[in-house]
Amino acid sequence: MTNFTIPIAGVIGNPISQSRSPQLFRHWLKTYNKVGFYIPLHVTEANLENVIRVLPKMGFIGCNVTAPHKVDVLQIADLATDRATLIGAANTLIFRKDGKIHADNTDGYGFIANLKQGAPEWAPSIGPVAVFGAGGAARAVIASLIDIGVQKIYLSNRTRPKAEALKSSFGTKITVVDWVQSGNMLEDSATVVNTTSLGMVGKPEFRVPLDGLQRGTVVTDLVYSPLKTRFLTEAEAAGCIVVDGLGMLLHQAVPGFERWFGIRPDVDVDTRTAVLV
Ligand code: ATR
């Protein structure tokens, strides 16, 4: 007899078939020759709490969380990291041995790690950052930018009160710019981030005029389907350094994989290829 247990983790969402995380974890488990499973879990809002409470009893050691549950899981968890609380959402749940459910948010970590990998010369001191959008993804991005030491963030959102609400949470480093004037943020920005869903397959195009973009500006899009959005294509044509959004998805999964399967995985070309097939 042995009390060795096979680690099981997964990702919870509704829908879940679009999630690339199972492919990603399968690739890493194989690459690092680890025993374990990572399972896509389609869970409705009505069943969310019941499922989360029962998973540890079934041998799960944790799970990732995707739309639309990232905000709700924070209420269900027994404990949360400061960054998850500040962001108001969690993407990683850790089922502790003492039975407590611990919530974390690694989206901001994934955002910064991707930026640094795609633009190695990027540093918080290079200048102001312009952020388009004020949804859940923007909250994670802004929290990570402030945490790493960015001093000035221009923020523009179609629904201005949501940008104002972010300024209330994150403070005076944020300057809110009206959506109709959002192109004006670009001239003074060393980094530009699209956190809206504009430009995603099936969604409207990102149509903010980009003439203000300066050569050498680091431009990144959280949209990764398509991989090269029109926003990135135009930025590249303007001489900017562009970083696509797929890497954020890959890097945000690193802390979970390390915790659950015991090795910190690399995000390399093979990793990208594995989730694109
Ligand atoms: P996520 O968690 O991915 O950030 P979200 O919270 O639904 O998703 O936020 C989506 C973002 O895309 C918001 O900033 C949203 O703007 P509003 O707050 O005005 O809704 C932005 N967005 C979505 N469709 C848009 C559109 N057609 N024009 C401008 N912004 C849009």
Side-chain angles (χ1 to χ4, degrees), residues 171-246:
T172 52
K173 287 177 180 155
I174 296 182
T175 302
V176 174
V177 176
D178 209 73
W179 185 248
V180 290
Q181 286 162 353
S182 57
N184 295 350
M185 306 190 289
L186 303 175
E187 236 164 74
D188 188 36
S189 299
T191 311
V192 178
V193 189
N194 174 37
T195 76
T196 75
S197 49
L198 294 171
M200 192 186 292
V201 173
K203 295 279 164 77
E205 253 316 334
F206 184 92
R207 295 208 179 276
V208 173
L210 300 178
D211 349 336
L213 277 178
Q214 305 293 306
R215 280 191 88 73
T217 299
V218 176
V219 177
T220 185
D221 198 334
L222 267 48
V223 172
Y224 58 83
S225 182
L227 212 46
K228 191 65 105 32
T229 57
R230 196 173 83 170
F231 173 60
L232 291 184
T233 306
E234 285 187 21
E236 194 164 43
C240 298
I241 299 155
V242 301
V243 182
D244 71 51
L246 183 64

Side-chain angles (χ1 to χ4, degrees), residues 42-251:
H42 184 180
V43 181
T44 62
E45 285 82 333
N47 289 328
L48 183 64
E49 178 152 12
N50 282 343
V51 169
I52 287 174
R53 299 246 169 247
V54 90
L55 285 176
K57 297 174 189 157
M58 297 166 65
F60 277 74
I61 51 179
C63 64
N64 290 121
V65 180
T66 189
H69 301 316
K70 287 186 177 185
V71 173
D72 291 344
V73 292
L74 200 56
Q75 310 310 320
I76 296 168
D78 302 303
L79 303 147
T81 57
D82 289 347
R83 58 187 175 179
T85 306
L86 182 65
I87 294 165
N91 72 338
T92 306
L93 297 179
I94 294 139
F95 303 144
R96 296 187 351 175
K97 289 211 174 73
D98 64 5
K100 295 230 181 329
I101 296 172
H102 192 225
D104 193 8
N105 193 317
T106 65
D107 284 333
Y109 161 79
F111 170 73
I112 297 290
N114 184 42
L115 201 56
K116 285 181 170 171
Q117 188 174 37
E121 64 279 30
W122 187 86
S125 55
I126 62 173
V129 180
V131 176
F132 292 96
R139 291 187 76 89
V141 164
I142 287 171
S144 67
L145 289 170
I146 290 177
D147 190 47
I148 202 171
V150 169
Q151 292 301 315
K152 182 159 193 163
I153 297 170
Y154 295 107
L155 175 62
S156 188
N157 192 52
R158 174 181 60 177
T159 311
R160 185 175 171 124
K162 280 169 71 179
E164 302 284 3
L166 253 81
K167 184 179 163 72
S168 304
S169 321
F170 291 100
T172 52
K173 287 177 180 155
I174 296 182
T175 302
V176 174
V177 176
D178 209 73
W179 185 248
V180 290
Q181 286 162 353
S182 57
N184 295 350
M185 306 190 289
L186 303 175
E187 236 164 74
D188 188 36
S189 299
T191 311
V192 178
V193 189
N194 174 37
T195 76
T196 75
S197 49
L198 294 171
M200 192 186 292
V201 173
K203 295 279 164 77
E205 253 316 334
F206 184 92
R207 295 208 179 276
V208 173
L210 300 178
D211 349 336
L213 277 178
Q214 305 293 306
R215 280 191 88 73
T217 299
V218 176
V219 177
T220 185
D221 198 334
L222 267 48
V223 172
Y224 58 83
S225 182
L227 212 46
K228 191 65 105 32
T229 57
R230 196 173 83 170
F231 173 60
L232 291 184
T233 306
E234 285 187 21
E236 194 164 43
C240 298
I241 299 155
V242 301
V243 182
D244 71 51
L246 183 64
M248 175 172 168
L249 173 83
L250 307 178
H251 282 284

